[in-house]
Amino acid sequence: MLVIQQTSKLIDECDQCVSRFWQMREEDRTPDFFQEVKPHADEIHQLLKEWQQEANTWIQKNRPKYMHTQQIASAVESMEQFVVQSFYKETSKKRFLDAIHSTSYTLKIFERLVKEGVTDAIEETND
């Protein structure tokens, strides 16, 4: 299922952002915006846009109790910011890590709900 793959990629990107953040601090350098930052950010922004549409469709169809389209929108907005911030050593550590933690939590909950929904649907067809 596409939305599960997209969600998994975004969870991986959260981890990569943390690694990149520490690496940039360790290297003590400023990246080239057009060579490094923009191409990566554009790729992730496109994935986020597609994921948001898929996730919202899934939520409207399945109506999970504890996941709403506003949470998806907040995760997308936060991730759009911290993906870019992860390239810069000047980024505030606490705020950055808190944003990633929050977004990662939302993504993992969503992924679990989708996987459970898929499992429930398979079980229903087998009954």
Side-chain angles (χ1 to χ4, degrees), residues 52-69:
Q52 186 172 15
Q53 291 173 335
E54 292 288 331
N56 286 342
T57 300
W58 188 87
I59 287 172
Q60 289 166 355
K61 181 180 173 191
N62 294 280
R63 302 213 180 278
K65 222 180 223 181
Y66 301 109
M67 183 62 60
H68 306 283
T69 56

Side-chain angles (χ1 to χ4, degrees), residues 3 12-13 21 24 29 56 78 110:
V3 74
D12 289 345
E13 180 61 25
F21 173 75
M24 296 310 265
R29 71 179 181 91
N56 286 342
S78 180
F110 180 75

Side-chain angles (χ1 to χ4, degrees), residues 43-89:
E43 180 184 326
I44 299 302
H45 289 299
Q46 184 60 39
L47 175 59
L48 283 167
K49 190 172 144 185
E50 293 167 8
W51 175 76
Q52 186 172 15
Q53 291 173 335
E54 292 288 331
N56 286 342
T57 300
W58 188 87
I59 287 172
Q60 289 166 355
K61 181 180 173 191
N62 294 280
R63 302 213 180 278
K65 222 180 223 181
Y66 301 109
M67 183 62 60
H68 306 283
T69 56
Q70 183 53 47
Q71 288 166 282
I72 300 299
S74 293
V76 167
E77 185 178 320
S78 180
M79 199 161 184
E80 285 175 340
Q81 291 175 11
F82 71 66
V83 165
V84 173
Q85 291 171 347
S86 71
F87 283 90
Y88 295 98
K89 64 182 192 262

Side-chain angles (χ1 to χ4, degrees), residues 82-99:
F82 71 66
V83 165
V84 173
Q85 291 171 347
S86 71
F87 283 90
Y88 295 98
K89 64 182 192 262
E90 299 84 10
T91 298
S92 165
K93 181 174 77 171
K94 180 173 175 21
R95 205 157 152 205
F96 174 77
L97 295 174
D98 286 350

Side-chain angles (χ1 to χ4, degrees), residues 26-37:
E26 193 176 294
E27 292 175 5
D28 193 29
R29 71 179 181 91
T30 303
D32 182 297
F33 181 78
F34 292 103
Q35 293 294 316
E36 293 177 71
V37 182

